[in-house]
Amino acid sequence: MTSAPPRLRLGQIITGDTGHRYRIDQRLGSGGYGALYRASRLARASDRSLRTVCVKVCASAADWHGEAHMGNLLAGQPEVVRMLDAFAFAAGSHGTTRYAIVTEYLREGTVADRIADDAWRGWSATTVRREIQRLLGVLRLMHAAGVTHRDIKPDNVFLRDGHLVLGDFGIAKHSLSPKNSPVDAYTPAYTPTDMEHRRHWATWLDIYQVGLLACTLLTGQDWTNDDVSRIRSLPAPEDLRCWIWHATAGKGLRYVDGTQALAALVDLRSVDMGPKRGPVSLTGHHVVVTGRFDTGTQRELHHLIEGAGGTMGSTVTDETTVLVRGAGADGTTGGVGEGRILFAVHERKRRGQQIHVIDETRLCKLVGLVSVSR
């Protein structure tokens, strides 16, 4: 069981195993896994400050070992906060052993700091796509090595020269079998609502958190699991909303790890979802529809499609071969089902499923209607 770390005195100097000295300048905050301070790394022969750093005093030796291991494992990755030092030191009147992690100090702060700035309205879709792609690049490496972060949220994502960098690996885990890693610590607001029923933390849960982070970056507002239902109305291009939709999916066509999520983010942009001529007949085709139609109601469309030899379904499946996009079918309006159908087709086409996309005019020709009347 972890205990609260001691409060270090302002001006206190602690020394690492290599002789580097650090003066504690300001308390930045604390949590269940340690206390964080802004500090100065001092010259060896004087108290001249060489650089500003962050010192985290861990709540236990186990936490320290884990975070130091992650720092060494991910050393050299530009998308990760750099660990500069890790050591034990004696503190207090009884000389109790404490454990410190020293990292770079990022003056631009965290995404949470940006959210707190009322003037920030989020980033453009182009910037969000670029920065999420960078984070997924490091998650791809982490997941391949059996590492899960488990706490990707605005407080733990920093900025360096305008780019996102991942920090605070306090509850990260390195496992030979990450799919079987127990759920022993997490932040409820940034995980699926059914987390209390899950026994293991899987790599896809890291991707879920990155999906929420993308929403936050697009809007300038803190998105949690309570906001997932609003994804279809995000102010973003269809391919990016489609990626976020699947990144935060509880089941089905979600992205299982960093490798798959990164490939999807890159590839979805090239998937053509524009209506084309499509098949010469609906005979034998499985059809789904989304959007608004002048031809008739869903029930009437069902009869027309069945009469033309096709089969109309309410969801996208492995058998789906035709999508009919009605007016306004961009996933941002209408019911939840509209976004679900559109994004499911988008992702399935990316994965290679052959699905024709047609509009209402083409549908009318295929079902034998001469014109569409209001």
Side-chain angles (χ1 to χ4, degrees):
M1 181 176 179
T2 59
S3 59
R7 291 181 66 96
L8 300 184
R9 302 186 314 275
L10 298 188
Q12 181 177 349
I13 295 176
I14 59 177
T15 304
D17 299 335
T18 58
H20 293 306
R21 299 186 302 141
Y22 304 94
R23 184 186 64 226
I24 304 302
D25 297 329
Q26 179 186 1
R27 183 180 174 88
L28 299 177
S30 61
Y33 287 83
L36 191 65
Y37 299 87
R38 179 174 60 80
S40 297
R41 181 169 169 174
L42 305 177
R44 289 182 180 273
S46 70
D47 288 344
R48 179 172 58 89
S49 177
L50 299 178
R51 68 178 298 180
T52 301
V53 298
C54 275
V55 172
K56 180 177 181 179
V57 182
C58 297
S60 71
D63 296 340
W64 175 75
H65 280 292
E67 195 156 358
H69 170 68
M70 294 300 171
N72 287 320
L73 187 68
L74 299 171
Q77 295 299 322
E79 298 83 14
V80 174
V81 176
R82 301 186 189 102
M83 187 182 75
L84 306 175
D85 206 348
F87 56 90
F89 67 99
S93 58
H94 299 291
T96 304
T97 301
R98 302 297 181 184
Y99 302 89
I101 300 288
V102 181
T103 65
E104 62 179 319
Y105 178 72
L106 296 171
R107 298 180 184 278
E108 295 172 62
T110 66
V111 173
D113 294 327
R114 290 292 180 96
I115 296 170
D117 181 356
D118 292 336
W120 190 57
R121 294 293 182 267
W123 287 342
S124 69
T126 298
T127 301
V128 171
R129 191 185 283 109
R130 180 196 70 207
E131 292 304 308
I132 292 298
Q133 187 171 325
R134 294 178 73 250
L135 283 189
L136 290 174
V138 74
L139 282 177
R140 176 184 60 181
L141 298 176
M142 289 170 56
H143 291 168
V147 176
T148 49
H149 186 281
R150 299 170 174 241
D151 208 16
I152 303 172
K153 60 185 181 182
D155 283 318
N156 294 339
V157 180
F158 295 76
L159 293 109
R160 184 199 301 125
D161 300 327
H163 295 297
L164 299 181
V165 289
L166 193 57
D168 198 341
F169 287 77
I171 63 173
K173 286 292 180 68
H174 190 183
S175 172
L176 293 176
S177 180
K179 291 183 179 180
N180 295 322
S181 186
V183 176
D184 50 7
Y186 61 92
T187 304
Y190 301 99
T191 52
T193 55
D194 63 348
M195 276 302 294
E196 68 272 16
H197 302 301
R198 297 183 181 277
R199 297 178 57 192
H200 301 112
W201 184 279
T203 51
W204 71 264
L205 288 162
D206 279 354
I207 305 304
Y208 178 97
Q209 294 180 330
V210 175
L212 290 180
L213 177 65
C215 297
T216 296
L217 297 172
L218 284 165
T219 62
Q221 301 172 351
D222 186 11
W223 278 56
T224 68
N225 53 24
D226 290 334
D227 302 303
V228 169
S229 63
R230 299 194 291 124
I231 287 172
R232 63 189 178 87
S233 61
L234 278 169
E238 183 179 302
D239 68 284
L240 185 52
R241 284 185 291 118
C242 175
W243 183 88
I244 295 170
W245 181 279
H246 287 88
T248 56
K251 57 183 178 180
L253 293 178
R254 64 190 179 205
Y255 307 128
V256 299
D257 57 23
T259 296
Q260 191 177 94
L262 177 59
L265 183 62
V266 173
D267 295 344
L268 281 169
R269 297 192 69 183
S270 62
V271 175
D272 187 358
M273 289 292 291
K276 299 293 186 295
R277 184 175 183 275
V280 297
S281 167
L282 289 182
T283 300
H285 282 282
H286 292 257
V287 184
V288 291
V289 301
T290 184
R292 302 186 303 275
F293 293 89
D294 294 322
T295 306
T297 64
Q298 291 275 336
R299 181 184 294 274
E300 291 169 332
L301 287 176
H302 181 92
H303 288 308
L304 289 170
I305 291 169
E306 295 282 345
T311 301
M312 181 171 162
S314 59
T315 60
V316 183
T317 69
D318 292 343
E319 295 183 323
T320 301
T321 54
V322 176
L323 165 69
V324 187
R325 294 190 69 161
D330 62 358
T332 62
T333 59
V336 174
E338 177 184 311
R340 183 180 296 116
I341 288 174
L342 187 66
F343 300 147
V345 169
H346 203 148
E347 173 62 19
R348 283 177 176 270
K349 282 173 67 69
R350 182 192 76 83
R351 298 190 185 203
Q353 185 169 337
Q354 299 300 309
I355 302 178
H356 299 282
V357 181
I358 64 175
D359 59 18
E360 186 174 11
T361 299
R362 180 58 181 165
L363 174 65
C364 287
K365 292 180 179 180
L366 290 173
V367 299
L369 291 180
V370 177
S371 62
V372 179
S373 60
R374 291 187 179 275

